[in-house]
Amino acid sequence: MDQAQLKAIVVLSEELHFGRTAQRLGMTQPALSQKVSKVENELGITLFTRAHRRIAVTEVGRIFIAHARSALIEMETAVRMAQKASAGQVGQLHLGFVENASFDVLPKAVSTYRRCFPEVDLRLSEMISSELLEKLLAGRLDIALMRPIKTETELELKRRLVHQEPYVAVLPVDHPLAAASSARIEDLVKLPMIIAAGAKATYLREQFGPLFARVGHDIEVGQEVNQLPAMLSLVSSGIGYALLPKSVTNINVPGVTYLPLATPNVPQAELVAVWRGDETNPAIKYFLSFLPRVDDTHWKVANRSH
């Protein structure tokens, strides 16, 4: 028994006339009669009585038709929801992000996406890049906004550069270097750095380790702390300096100053959107359409081993 047969039975119960029912369904009257008879024969019950050109629904038919009508509504709902899901209009999207993504890229994209796709259950989780990558590979995230850290995996990962910004030196306002218009790495390496702890500092160490080595120094860690507000507070107390993406300058913290870096070839802070190549969630491509796109030709070449 298919949807067309159920619909023929339901419409006939409403019209109680073969001619009007056939016209409403866009078929011939003989074809309609065959559908109804086929259902009755298949079920072994009589749904309609036919006498003196009058049609009536039997008691058994009334019960069957009530459930058939509900089944048709469910089928139509299922089709409609499947179509909406295919268009990314319903479903779930689990997005992971690093802390710095929340300063610029994330709020704009999420605000626009929620407005355009209000029926999608959008879940947000903040983690460090290594954790985001782990969750993504395990299928527990749909998209990650993270730093482009290196990884070895047999799974295909797709990446897109969505944001790029310079680093700034964050110094106490009363430090002698704070009076300058910019800071040189050669001067900063002599000072203790306030840096994130453990794996959270992997990306910064990968970027600045070679630069520090070129000027004959290692990164001298004065204090490790994971939370950005705590890091800025430690800088303001005079414990050391920090190297942070320029977007943190939007945070007004008394006692610190932000200086651009004057040393040539200083690395940029990059933010990438990463998702699995075998992912089938349609919501992913629609969310990606709300993320900025950086001209990443050079980045793809430089990071092809990531």
Side-chain angles (χ1 to χ4, degrees), residues 88-193:
Q89 296 173 342
V90 296
Q92 291 184 338
L93 183 67
H94 194 175
L95 171 67
F97 64 96
V98 292
E99 184 178 35
N100 281 91
S102 63
F103 296 150
D104 186 20
V105 173
L106 186 68
K108 296 175 183 176
V110 167
S111 176
T112 307
Y113 182 79
R114 284 193 186 278
R115 190 166 60 249
C116 295
F117 296 92
E119 294 184 72
V120 175
D121 177 18
L122 177 61
R123 292 178 291 163
L124 304 175
S125 299
E126 181 188 341
M127 306 175 205
I128 64 174
S129 293
S130 58
E131 291 173 337
L132 289 171
L133 189 60
E134 179 184 342
K135 302 292 186 188
L136 194 68
L137 292 173
R140 297 172 65 183
L141 284 177
D142 295 304
I143 310 177
L145 294 177
M146 56 181 282
R147 299 306 186 192
I149 59 174
K150 297 177 181 179
T151 182
E152 293 183 6
T153 175
E154 295 181 359
L155 291 174
E156 180 191 4
L157 290 178
K158 294 187 177 181
R159 296 176 172 86
R160 199 178 91 197
L161 183 63
V162 298
H163 189 64
Q164 196 172 41
E165 60 180 323
Y167 281 94
V168 295
V170 189
L171 290 159
V173 291
D174 56 358
H175 193 280
L177 292 177
S181 58
S182 61
R184 300 188 312 153
I185 294 295
E186 293 87 338
D187 297 323
L188 294 174
V189 293
K190 305 169 187 176
L191 308 174
M193 183 190 292

Side-chain angles (χ1 to χ4, degrees), residues 12 15-18 20 48-57:
L12 182 59
E15 297 289 347
L16 295 177
H17 190 280
F18 275 93
R20 289 195 299 268
F48 301 95
T49 58
R50 307 157 179 86
H52 308 294
R53 296 188 177 180
R54 296 186 63 183
I55 300 173
V57 181

Side-chain angles (χ1 to χ4, degrees), residues 159-162 293-301:
R159 296 176 172 86
R160 199 178 91 197
L161 183 63
V162 298
R293 181 184 293 274
V294 178
D295 181 8
D296 57 358
T297 304
H298 173 72
W299 178 84
K300 285 180 179 177
V301 173

Side-chain angles (χ1 to χ4, degrees), residues 16 23 36 38 53 75 87 139 175 197 218 287 293 300:
L16 295 177
Q23 185 176 16
V36 174
K38 185 175 181 180
R53 296 188 177 180
M75 293 174 71
H175 193 280
D218 293 325
F287 185 85
R293 181 184 293 274
K300 285 180 179 177

Side-chain angles (χ1 to χ4, degrees), residues 27-98:
M27 64 174 61
T28 64
Q29 190 168 325
L32 173 62
S33 297
Q34 288 177 3
K35 280 186 180 293
V36 174
S37 296
K38 185 175 181 180
V39 171
E40 290 180 319
N41 291 334
E42 183 179 334
L43 297 175
I45 59 177
T46 300
L47 300 173
F48 301 95
T49 58
R50 307 157 179 86
H52 308 294
R53 296 188 177 180
R54 296 186 63 183
I55 300 173
V57 181
T58 66
E59 181 60 21
V60 174
R62 184 185 64 78
I63 295 172
F64 175 80
I65 289 166
H67 288 282
R69 183 176 283 108
S70 297
L72 283 173
I73 293 173
E74 288 295 325
M75 293 174 71
E76 290 170 358
T77 300
V79 170
R80 184 171 65 255
M81 294 304 292
Q83 291 171 338
K84 291 181 73 173
S86 179
Q89 296 173 342
V90 296
Q92 291 184 338
L93 183 67
H94 194 175
L95 171 67
F97 64 96
V98 292

Side-chain angles (χ1 to χ4, degrees), residues 267-287:
Q268 299 261 307
E270 298 166 333
L271 186 70
V272 293
V274 185
W275 64 101
R276 289 171 54 135
D278 61 355
E279 186 55 68
T280 59
N281 187 349
I284 292 176
K285 70 175 182 179
Y286 293 101
F287 185 85

